Amino acid sequence: MAFYFIADMHFGHENALAFDNRPFQTIEEHDRVLAENWNSAVGMDDEVFVLGDISWLNATKTMEIVKGLNGIKHLIVGNHDKRLLKNREVQALFAEITDYKEILIPDKKGIVLSHYPIPCFNHHYYGWYHLYGHVHSSFEWNMMERVKYEMESLYDKPCNMYNCGVMMRYMNYTPRTLEEILKGCSGID
């Protein structure tokens, strides 16, 4: 069993193609590739933490897509998820639904999970990690990277926070393990 993380999939959201400059001709191609990538990475017994904004589609179409995705799915609620979560059948697709979560993965690494970035997240002085979404690859992500840089270089404080939005180069529209995210962010191939 492995632990995977992903954010801001925005199934069915055509505006996300332009907003993030996603490399797909149509939203149907986008949705198909995201589902294929997910299932090629995630096994049936793996845990997947979706850090918000799973779908722009209606409940029926969202359920059709999510039911076809491998793994045990946990949803950390994003700003675009609330409408869908009014539907009990959508809720039932997830082992857990929460706004915020702290987990310890088997190698004793602590992770703070939130849809929104939290620069001063709990345990950040103690080597924990923070995975988030919401800011896509926008100016807001650049702001978070600047805060991270200042904490580490000016104040000599750790700030292990990483954007798990699908559009990030190191995510490549695929759920990733913490190790894969760290490796991708460091530029190691």
Side-chain angles (χ1 to χ4, degrees), residues 7-8 51 114-117 131-136 162-165:
D8 299 310
L51 306 180
S114 172
H115 179 62
Y116 307 99
L131 303 180
Y132 65 91
H134 184 64
V135 296
H136 295 246
Y162 301 95
N163 183 346
C164 293

Side-chain angles (χ1 to χ4, degrees), residues 17 23-36:
L17 298 180
F24 306 101
Q25 297 299 311
T26 65
I27 195 62
E28 292 79 17
E29 177 192 9
H30 168 271
D31 294 354
R32 180 182 49 77
V33 170
L34 264 65
E36 288 172 359

Side-chain angles (χ1 to χ4, degrees), residues 7-10 13-24 30 134-139 141 163 165-168 173:
D8 299 310
M9 292 177 300
H10 287 267
H13 194 177
E14 284 190 61
N15 287 344
L17 298 180
F19 182 76
D20 293 326
N21 197 25
R22 297 185 184 199
F24 306 101
H30 168 271
H134 184 64
V135 296
H136 295 246
S137 55
S138 71
F139 77 93
W141 175 64
N163 183 346
V166 297
M167 76 298 300
M168 303 308 293
Y173 304 93

Side-chain angles (χ1 to χ4, degrees), residues 5-8 51 109-119 121 127-136 141 144-145 148 152 158-166 168-171 176-187:
F5 307 92
I6 193 164
D8 299 310
L51 306 180
K109 289 184 180 163
I111 307 172
V112 171
L113 304 172
S114 172
H115 179 62
Y116 307 99
I118 308 168
F121 57 92
W128 278 47
Y129 297 87
H130 170 40
L131 303 180
Y132 65 91
H134 184 64
V135 296
H136 295 246
W141 175 64
M144 291 301 98
E145 288 296 290
K148 181 178 173 178
E152 294 174 342
C159 191
N160 298 317
M161 57 186 289
Y162 301 95
N163 183 346
C164 293
V166 297
M168 303 308 293
R169 173 190 46 78
Y170 47 87
M171 295 301 291
R176 300 289 185 196
T177 65
L178 178 63
E179 292 74 22
E180 290 171 327
I181 293 166
L182 298 176
K183 184 178 174 183
C185 288
S186 68

Side-chain angles (χ1 to χ4, degrees), residues 64-78:
E64 182 181 312
I65 291 172
V66 174
K67 283 179 182 177
L69 300 176
N70 293 343
I72 301 160
K73 296 169 273 302
H74 305 260
L75 179 63
I76 310 301
V77 179

Side-chain angles (χ1 to χ4, degrees), residues 1-6 38-39 42-50 54 66-76 92-97 175:
M1 175 180 69
F3 292 83
Y4 288 88
F5 307 92
I6 193 164
W38 178 302
N39 287 335
V42 175
M44 295 305 288
D45 294 327
D46 293 332
E47 304 272 344
V48 183
F49 292 87
V50 178
I54 193 165
V66 174
K67 283 179 182 177
L69 300 176
N70 293 343
I72 301 160
K73 296 169 273 302
H74 305 260
L75 179 63
I76 310 301
L93 298 170
F94 300 97
E96 165 185 42
I97 300 170

